[in-house]
Amino acid sequence: MTKILLSGCNGKMGQVISRLAAEDAEAQIVAGLDINTHLQNPYPVFTNLNDCNIDADVIIDFSHPSVLEPLLAFAVSKNLPVIVATTGLSEEQKNHLQETATKIPVFFSANMSLGINLLISLAKKAAVLLEEQFDIEIIEKHHNQKIDAPSGTALAIADGISEVLKTPAEYVYDRHSVRKKRSKNEIGLHAIRGGTIVGEHDIIFAGNDEVITLSHSAASKEVFAVGAIKAAKFMKGKPSGMYNMSDLIAATI
């Protein structure tokens, strides 16, 4: 049994994780952290981490970037692995994760979906084979309430592809203001916002007379919650270090 302390437990994702963990015989939410205490949960919820006196095996953070620093300090003080699934982290905060990983196990992913991370793996393999002859474009679609664009997942896809390219990639977000042909080293990123789209990502490899498209579509937030719970079970008992979805997938295959 993996005992989980859930940061952001009363948010939309937190409630999905709570429901799925209750159905998982190998995972249990033993305590939560949230500034919102209006919801009823089958576990104690704290507004201040320092008040938490519940033993846990791992922390899942699905809250807000502003919570990260005190959460990491708490995790270090308790020697607890932490899964950071919060999006919108600054570069400074990402560097802080790297520093913290020298003391405790840290799992970080811009997207907790197993499917998305498999998509990134496939895109990297395709990019190695197609770099010289194919242009690469990424299209992401999300609901009309999403603030950031492009999505963190689209950037993670672009970063994954860029890692394996021989020529450094240039990310291009907007072409309407510059009248010139597309350069070969571009990765175009395009954001669509509308309705209640949970999340869709297409990677287009466009060559001469043929187009290859890799796609992923999320129908609900459950895919992210499933990934977070799997990560929690994976991280229990791990030594200090930086971990991500690639490590989880490699251990699963």
Side-chain angles (χ1 to χ4, degrees), residues 86-113:
T86 300
T87 59
L89 299 185
S90 66
E91 287 304 313
E92 182 180 357
Q93 288 177 314
K94 291 177 183 178
N95 291 335
H96 191 188
L97 289 181
Q98 295 284 350
E99 295 171 7
T100 303
T102 64
K103 304 172 185 176
I104 59 171
V106 176
F107 186 107
F108 175 65
S109 177
N111 189 302
M112 295 303 295
S113 162

Side-chain angles (χ1 to χ4, degrees), residues 11 37 112 118 124 127 160 164 189 192 212:
T37 59
M112 295 303 295
L118 178 58
K124 291 168 71 172
V164 300
L189 293 104
I192 294 173
I212 300 168

Side-chain angles (χ1 to χ4, degrees), residues 32-228:
L33 172 70
D34 208 299
I35 57 173
N36 171 21
T37 59
H38 298 301
L39 298 180
Q40 294 296 317
N41 295 287
Y43 49 79
V45 177
F46 300 89
T47 57
N48 189 324
L49 263 178
N50 295 324
D51 296 332
C52 180
N53 57 358
I54 308 296
D55 290 332
D57 297 314
V58 64
I59 301 172
I60 294 178
D61 178 36
F62 247 118
S63 57
H64 188 271
S66 62
V67 180
L68 183 67
E69 277 69 27
L71 184 75
L72 293 179
F74 177 84
V76 170
S77 70
K78 300 293 184 180
N79 196 31
L80 287 176
V82 59
I83 291 94
V84 179
T86 300
T87 59
L89 299 185
S90 66
E91 287 304 313
E92 182 180 357
Q93 288 177 314
K94 291 177 183 178
N95 291 335
H96 191 188
L97 289 181
Q98 295 284 350
E99 295 171 7
T100 303
T102 64
K103 304 172 185 176
I104 59 171
V106 176
F107 186 107
F108 175 65
S109 177
N111 189 302
M112 295 303 295
S113 162
L114 290 171
I116 275 290
N117 285 276
L118 178 58
L119 180 77
I120 294 173
S121 178
L122 294 173
K124 291 168 71 172
K125 292 180 180 179
V128 170
L129 295 173
L130 305 176
E131 177 179 1
E132 302 296 337
Q133 295 85 27
F134 287 71
D135 299 320
I136 304 171
E137 299 282 309
I138 299 170
I139 301 173
E140 56 97 344
K141 307 171 189 176
H142 285 87
H143 53 84
N144 57 22
Q145 299 301 302
K146 187 171 180 62
I147 298 173
D148 57 316
S151 68
T153 299
L155 289 171
I157 293 171
D159 289 344
I161 292 173
S162 185
E163 287 175 6
V164 300
L165 296 179
K166 297 175 184 176
T167 303
E170 175 191 1
Y171 297 176
V172 176
Y173 306 98
D174 180 14
R175 292 196 179 94
H176 87 278
S177 60
V178 179
R179 292 179 59 83
K180 67 175 185 178
K181 292 182 179 180
R182 184 192 198 282
S183 64
K184 292 299 296 183
N185 66 326
E186 286 185 17
I187 295 181
L189 293 104
H190 313 277
I192 294 173
R193 297 289 175 265
T196 58
I197 302 171
V198 174
E200 297 181 10
H201 293 84
D202 296 324
I203 309 165
I204 299 171
F205 294 89
N208 290 331
D209 301 323
E210 59 180 338
V211 175
I212 300 168
T213 303
L214 300 176
S215 300
H216 177 272
S217 177
S220 77
K221 294 181 182 294
E222 285 196 9
V223 297
F224 313 117
V226 168

